[in-house]
Amino acid sequence: MIDQEAIRKHIRGIIEALGDDPEREGLKETPERVARMYAEVFEGMNYTNDEIAEMFSKCFDVPENGNHDMVVVKDIDVFSYCEHHLALMYDMKVTVAYIPKGKVIGLSKIARIADMVAKRLQLQERIGTDIADVISKATGSPDVAVYIEGTHSCMTTRGIKKSAARTVTTTFRGRFEEDKELQNRLLLMIK
């Protein structure tokens, strides 16, 4: 579990290290506010991928009649924090696709999985890998794809300061990795 008391203590120390007075008006309650915010925005750190898959594993049976349609949920808004700088990764859009294997997961569960996985200290590349892992476990399908496009404040507001830079990552598993035509079909749907 996230230790809010330790966060309060350390945020107070950061304020002092920045040369400000944590007792001045405006900052008095900042350590408490940050501790509550961190408990919310890092909620996913409380759970493993297996636990997230279990939490959101409610599926519905569908007949397997040789149909290999893909399910795609696109433009799922998420945010995360870069594990290298603790900087915000924002304006992120996630697309998740999978080919059902006898059952489908509720569409809102896909968005909940993406959201929970992003609520960790992360790399964009790992967010895609973790989402694919959880979706595969929850649905039983090995055929999963995740496409993410996002902006990283560690690139836009510090260092190189390229405000228009966007990062795109893809994760392909199973048939999405093996079948380039299926991959291209998905990528055309996203654009």
Side-chain angles (χ1 to χ4, degrees):
M1 294 302 280
I2 293 172
D3 185 345
Q4 290 189 50
E5 184 54 41
I7 293 170
R8 282 190 284 277
K9 175 184 163 199
H10 292 292
I11 292 300
R12 181 179 175 86
I14 289 171
I15 292 168
E16 289 170 345
L18 291 171
D20 213 328
D21 177 8
E23 291 302 318
R24 80 166 168 82
E25 200 57 41
L27 287 177
K28 282 182 185 177
E29 296 175 16
T30 296
E32 176 64 36
R33 283 191 295 268
V34 172
R36 285 193 315 267
M37 179 189 79
Y38 278 11
E40 177 184 338
V41 301
F42 294 120
E43 179 186 10
M45 296 186 72
N46 293 319
Y47 306 101
T48 66
N49 285 353
D50 288 337
E51 290 168 330
I52 296 170
E54 180 64 32
M55 285 170 30
F56 301 116
S57 64
K58 175 94 170 123
C59 288
F60 307 94
D61 292 335
V62 292
E64 284 199 58
N65 58 2
N67 189 349
H68 298 289
D69 290 342
M70 95 175 83
V71 175
V72 179
V73 178
K74 63 187 251 180
D75 295 332
I76 302 167
D77 292 317
V78 300
F79 66 88
S80 193
Y81 288 85
C82 163
E83 65 185 34
H84 296 148
H85 301 99
L86 302 184
L88 185 63
M89 294 186 286
Y90 61 98
D91 196 22
M92 297 178 81
K93 300 281 187 197
V94 175
T95 298
V96 177
Y98 74 101
I99 299 172
K101 188 176 178 185
K103 58 186 180 175
V104 293
I105 192 169
L107 299 176
S108 70
K109 301 293 188 263
I110 295 171
R112 290 176 194 277
I113 288 167
D115 194 50
M116 187 65 77
V117 163
K119 288 183 173 183
R120 298 171 171 165
L121 292 174
Q122 276 285 25
L123 299 173
Q124 184 170 320
E125 299 88 340
R126 190 178 318 114
I127 293 172
T129 299
D130 286 350
I131 292 170
D133 183 46
V134 173
I135 293 290
S136 185
K137 288 175 182 184
T139 64
S141 175
D143 307 315
V144 180
V146 180
Y147 176 96
I148 304 173
E149 188 169 336
T151 304
H152 297 235
S153 61
C154 56
M155 280 207 36
T156 62
T157 63
R158 61 157 303 278
I160 193 75
K161 295 181 184 158
K162 298 299 179 193
S163 62
R166 306 267 303 151
T167 300
V168 175
T169 55
T170 57
T171 304
F172 296 118
R173 300 269 176 82
R175 290 182 34 211
F176 285 100
E177 185 174 23
E178 300 156 6
D179 185 340
K180 297 301 180 199
E181 186 177 319
L182 183 63
Q183 227 181 74
N184 289 335
R185 202 168 107 211
L186 172 64
L187 293 173
L188 283 173
M189 292 166 108
I190 294 169
K191 294 297 177 177

